[in-house]
Amino acid sequence: MLSTDLADLKAYMADNPGAVIEDVARERKVTPRAVLQALPATMVRLGPGSEFAAAMNDVAQWGEVTLIVHTDDAIFEFTGSVPAGEIGRGYFNLMQPKGLHGHLRHERCAAIAFVERPFMGKSSAFIAFVNVDGGIMFKVFVGRDETRALRGDQLQRFHALRDRIGSARAA
C-alpha cells in the first residue's frame, strides 16, 4: 500500500472508527487486517496467531458471547458459550456435539486483534482472528448485560488476554 493511501486510510478510520471493517476493506481494496491496523493506536492491539488455541480456550470460559463470521455473502452470528477445543488432525476442534461446534484451521491464523472502539453509538470490544491472507476468520464480541452495556467480567477477561498476548501496537 502506498504511504499516501495508508495515511488516507488512517485518517478515515480516525474519523470513522465504528465503520464496518469488511466494508472499508472492500471499498478501499485493502485487506481487513490493513483496516484494523489503520484504527487509532488506542483502539487495537495485535498478538501472534500462534496463540489461537490459548485465546479460544480462554474465551470458552467467558460465558455467553457473540461470534460473528462475515463473508461477502452473509453475516452469521452465534450468541452463546464458545466451547473449549483441542488441536488434532490439523484442526482446532470445538469439543461439543451441539450448538457451536466444528473444526477450525488454526494454523492459518496469522494474528489476533483486540479491538475496542465505538460502534453504532455504543462501546464495543472484540477479538478478530486474522488469517494469513489478511482476512478475518471470525470475531468474538464481549457480551452485553441487560442494559446493553458491555459485561464487566468479560471486559476484564478481554483486557487480561489482550495484555497477555497482544503487543503494545498493531504492526
Side-chain angles (χ1 to χ4, degrees):
M1 178 181 312
L2 297 173
S3 62
T4 54
D5 294 337
L6 179 58
D8 183 52
L9 180 58
K10 285 185 174 191
Y12 180 81
M13 293 310 294
D15 291 340
N16 302 283
V20 176
I21 305 296
E22 294 83 355
D23 291 348
V24 174
R26 187 177 54 259
E27 291 162 8
R28 302 235 171 196
K29 297 181 179 24
V30 298
T31 64
R33 181 177 182 152
V35 176
L36 288 168
Q37 291 174 295
L39 281 166
T42 57
M43 295 183 188
V44 64
R45 282 201 216 168
L46 289 181
S50 60
E51 294 290 338
F52 183 94
M56 286 297 292
N57 281 325
D58 193 284
V59 167
Q61 300 171 42
W62 293 12
E64 187 172 286
V65 295
T66 299
L67 186 143
I68 295 180
V69 178
H70 187 151
T71 72
D72 287 342
D73 301 312
I75 300 172
F76 290 96
E77 299 183 20
F78 168 82
T79 299
S81 295
V82 172
E86 60 186 40
I87 295 172
R89 297 185 182 201
Y91 289 90
F92 180 82
N93 301 291
L94 298 175
M95 305 304 289
Q96 74 178 10
K98 294 188 184 233
L100 180 65
H101 61 277
H103 315 282
L104 308 173
R105 293 183 62 195
H106 67 287
E107 290 182 349
R108 285 190 38 85
C109 186
I112 301 170
F114 296 87
V115 181
E116 276 188 271
R117 66 183 186 147
F119 186 74
M120 300 182 101
K122 293 190 178 291
S123 295
S124 72
F126 66 90
I127 302 170
F129 293 85
V130 181
N131 69 24
V132 295
D133 302 317
I136 297 174
M137 300 167 77
F138 57 93
K139 300 175 206 161
V140 177
F141 284 79
V142 169
R144 296 190 179 277
D145 65 18
E146 60 282 346
T147 68
R148 305 295 302 146
L150 293 176
R151 284 186 45 183
D153 60 326
Q154 287 186 6
L155 194 56
Q156 286 180 326
R157 301 236 22 183
F158 171 90
H159 289 147
L161 185 60
R162 177 201 64 196
D163 292 347
R164 191 169 76 242
I165 70 173
S167 68
R169 172 66 187 127

